[in-house]
Amino acid sequence: MIKKKLAPKPLMYPKPAVLVGARVMGKPNFNTIANCGIISWDPPMVAVASYFGHYTNRGIRRHKTFSVNIPSAKMAKVTDFCGLYSGRKTDKSKIFKVFYGGLKTAPMIEECPVNLECKLVKTLKYGEAEIFLGEIKAVYAEDKYLTNGQPDTIKIDPLIYSSSDKKYYRIGKPVGKAYEIGRKKKQA
Ligand SMILES: Cc1cc2nc3c(=O)[nH]c(=O)nc-3n(C[C@H](O)[C@H](O)[C@H](O)COP(=O)(O)O)c2cc1C
């Protein structure tokens, strides 16, 4: 086996492309984030790494709330737009239909199949990034994206980002049932 040793880069496949929302200067603002992940199931916690200078960060710091909105693949263009233009110069408050939940200050996007309403519990600083650790206080999804009351990945059709070729993808077909197909493997 010959493997090429490449430069150390934070590569991960796949990465989500989500829209993180916060209320900034009295208006909703959304930025595109690929560096986002779940860190705990119970309590339900998410981590979002967003560069300090981003306009969205101001609102998260101020209100201590934010949202993580999961766009579908058909929302690639508008998701990219939110990642190209900063709320500092471009008003992104009217792009989406916005709603609020119990936390009152975490704007969420109606057009996104799934929305996580988060309360900021801790902020870590690493280099130029702020890592916001948020407790998910509520999840919102329309009935059409659910199967047996749970969000359905195929119906959501989430947008995937690949950082090495800087392209958006959509997920493919299921390959097996987790915590199950492994049982069919013969032990070495
Ligand atoms: C596909 C994609 C992924 C991105 N991922 C991140 C990320 O993980 N962290 C980050 O700080 N910025 C990321 N950005 C850049 C911000 O979304 C961008 O700078 C945005 O304009 C900031 O908006 P704001 O200033 O209104 O908050 C990404 C942009 C794109 C297009």
Side-chain angles (χ1 to χ4, degrees), residues 87-123:
R88 262 178 279 115
K89 290 192 174 162
T90 304
D91 183 356
K92 295 186 266 185
S93 68
K94 294 193 177 72
I95 300 174
F96 306 105
K97 285 185 205 143
V98 170
F99 71 100
Y100 289 88
L103 295 177
K104 309 277 189 223
T105 50
M108 288 174 278
I109 300 173
E110 265 191 43
E111 294 89 332
C112 285
V114 178
N115 317 91
L116 311 180
E117 186 184 24
C118 305
K119 186 174 165 26
L120 181 70
V121 293
K122 198 176 178 114
T123 305

Side-chain angles (χ1 to χ4, degrees), residues 82 116 150 173-174:
C82 290
L116 311 180
Q150 292 302 313
K173 296 191 177 96

Side-chain angles (χ1 to χ4, degrees), residues 70-187:
I70 317 282
S72 59
K74 68 175 183 213
M75 294 175 71
K77 206 182 276 180
V78 72
T79 304
D80 201 55
F81 181 92
C82 290
L84 282 168
Y85 301 99
S86 170
R88 262 178 279 115
K89 290 192 174 162
T90 304
D91 183 356
K92 295 186 266 185
S93 68
K94 294 193 177 72
I95 300 174
F96 306 105
K97 285 185 205 143
V98 170
F99 71 100
Y100 289 88
L103 295 177
K104 309 277 189 223
T105 50
M108 288 174 278
I109 300 173
E110 265 191 43
E111 294 89 332
C112 285
V114 178
N115 317 91
L116 311 180
E117 186 184 24
C118 305
K119 186 174 165 26
L120 181 70
V121 293
K122 198 176 178 114
T123 305
L124 307 171
K125 294 197 176 103
Y126 210 84
E128 288 177 19
E130 283 183 294
I131 297 130
F132 299 117
L133 307 186
E135 182 167 350
I136 300 163
K137 290 295 189 183
V139 176
Y140 301 87
E142 281 178 71
D143 213 30
K144 65 181 176 184
Y145 297 114
L146 306 180
T147 298
N148 300 326
Q150 292 302 313
D152 180 315
T153 307
I154 299 295
K155 291 178 182 170
I156 294 165
D157 191 18
L159 185 63
I160 306 297
Y161 174 61
S162 159
S163 44
S164 39
D165 59 3
K166 293 197 171 55
K167 280 188 183 163
Y168 296 104
Y169 290 81
R170 58 164 28 117
I171 58 152
K173 296 191 177 96
V175 292
K177 195 102 174 82
Y179 303 103
E180 211 175 289
I181 54 167
R183 294 183 207 283
K184 292 179 191 143
K185 185 191 169 342
K186 284 195 189 106
Q187 302 252 333

